Amino acid sequence: MEKETLQWHPVFCAAMEVELEGVEGIQFHREYNLARKPLQVDIVIVDEEKEEESRRRKRKGLAGILRRYNIVEYKSPDDTLSVDDFYKATSYAGLFKSESPREDGIKAHDIAIILVSSQRPLKLLKYLRDYCSMRVEEKEKGIYECEGNWIFKTYVVIAHPRYGGSYPWLNSLSKDLGTEDRKGIGKLLEEADEKKDGRRDAILELVLRANPEMARKMKEDNDMRAIQVLFEPELTAAEERAGKLGEKRGQNYKLVSLVCRKLRKGKRPEVIAEDLEEDLSLIEIICQAAELFAPEYEEEKVFMECSKVLENQ
């Protein structure tokens, strides 16, 4: 049986939005294009809080590390932050600054690099401390502040159920949730049920798919009877939705792949629709997304760009 590929990055974006949804003046820009030719950051967070420093100093957790502009790079449970990821994010921050319409319109001290990892990047932290001569300090649990003779303020955030801080939605993005994590996931299920928020549902759907044994035990273990009674409908519905979503994602990816191949051959949307016997409006949606990645038409990137629209078709 082919192993399912879990799409962690869209759910990470949703988790960041949930963690910071109570902070005033915050804007999220997913897969932000840094230049006319697509070069995308996972998230750019723009903090438009007017009182700026005086208010920011009083914030705690993730909100407390935000600057005016925040370049966020995320590594899923399948990967870890590397030294090169740090330099890539630094380059992204430099490109972001250079795109200001006025010379030095965006100040370097107004930009922060936030590196988020589902694993502890010990090698990177050691590199920042030893090679870059930065002072690496755990500002609070799971949030490392890296200061020194460097252009941009840098933070490393650990998104892990045991090593992370007070941001439970980010910490839930794990493939190795254990017995001790079930109560925490139960609380998130309760919050999702109260909020009726699609972002929370999407996070929990992925977490349940990534941790099927934990999901099964949450429904069967007598020690979790209260959570079973309260949340079994939500767990069952989430698993069913996840299954349907997985099947539909596979069909959509196949369609995107076929369209990209035909675009590389120079075919127009009308011809592609006829060749594939698909609705023209659906093919046009994929072609519009694909134009962002011409002439290579990289299938994975095109799929990520239009997957949400395709799922609603």
Side-chain angles (χ1 to χ4, degrees), residues 6 37 48 88 99 169-170 196 202 249 252 264 269 300:
L6 300 176
K37 185 175 181 180
E48 295 187 334
K88 179 173 72 173
E99 287 295 301
W169 288 95
L170 278 181
K196 308 296 182 187
R249 275 180 176 270
N252 289 339
R264 292 188 199 107
E300 183 71 25

Side-chain angles (χ1 to χ4, degrees), residues 146-297:
C146 308
E147 288 189 309
N149 188 21
W150 209 257
I151 302 173
F152 304 112
K153 187 83 169 187
T154 301
Y155 294 93
V156 175
V157 176
I158 312 301
H160 189 280
R162 281 169 286 289
Y163 309 124
S166 301
Y167 30 86
W169 288 95
L170 278 181
N171 292 339
S172 72
L173 304 182
S174 174
K175 295 198 304 183
D176 59 351
L177 296 180
T179 303
E180 65 273 31
D181 302 309
R182 282 182 277 160
K183 288 186 179 180
I185 297 300
K187 291 179 181 178
L188 299 186
L189 283 163
E190 183 177 15
E191 181 180 332
D193 185 55
E194 291 174 354
K195 297 282 188 179
K196 308 296 182 187
D197 179 7
R199 295 172 305 179
R200 288 170 169 81
D201 286 345
I203 296 166
L204 289 168
E205 285 174 10
L206 183 70
V207 169
L208 291 171
R209 296 212 319 269
N211 300 273
E213 184 64 18
M214 183 202 67
R216 183 182 65 80
K217 288 189 179 233
M218 287 184 73
K219 292 187 287 184
E220 296 177 356
D221 196 328
N222 288 331
D223 293 338
M224 302 295 289
R225 184 60 60 186
I227 290 180
Q228 178 190 13
V229 172
L230 286 171
F231 305 124
E232 185 168 9
E234 286 79 7
L235 280 167
T236 303
E239 289 172 344
E240 290 175 355
R241 288 196 302 271
K244 292 176 182 176
L245 186 62
E247 182 180 351
K248 188 170 184 179
R249 275 180 176 270
Q251 294 172 348
N252 289 339
Y253 187 89
K254 182 177 179 181
L255 179 59
V256 168
S257 177
L258 290 171
V259 171
C260 287
R261 292 176 194 175
K262 291 184 179 294
L263 285 171
R264 292 188 199 107
K265 295 179 181 178
K267 292 193 175 184
R268 296 175 56 80
E270 296 84 357
V271 177
I272 296 174
E274 185 176 350
D275 287 350
L276 299 178
E277 297 182 348
E278 292 284 354
D279 186 77
L280 177 58
S281 61
L282 181 63
I283 298 301
E284 286 177 336
I285 290 171
I286 299 173
C287 289
Q288 288 172 6
E291 282 303 312
L292 296 172
F293 307 101
E296 293 85 1
Y297 300 114

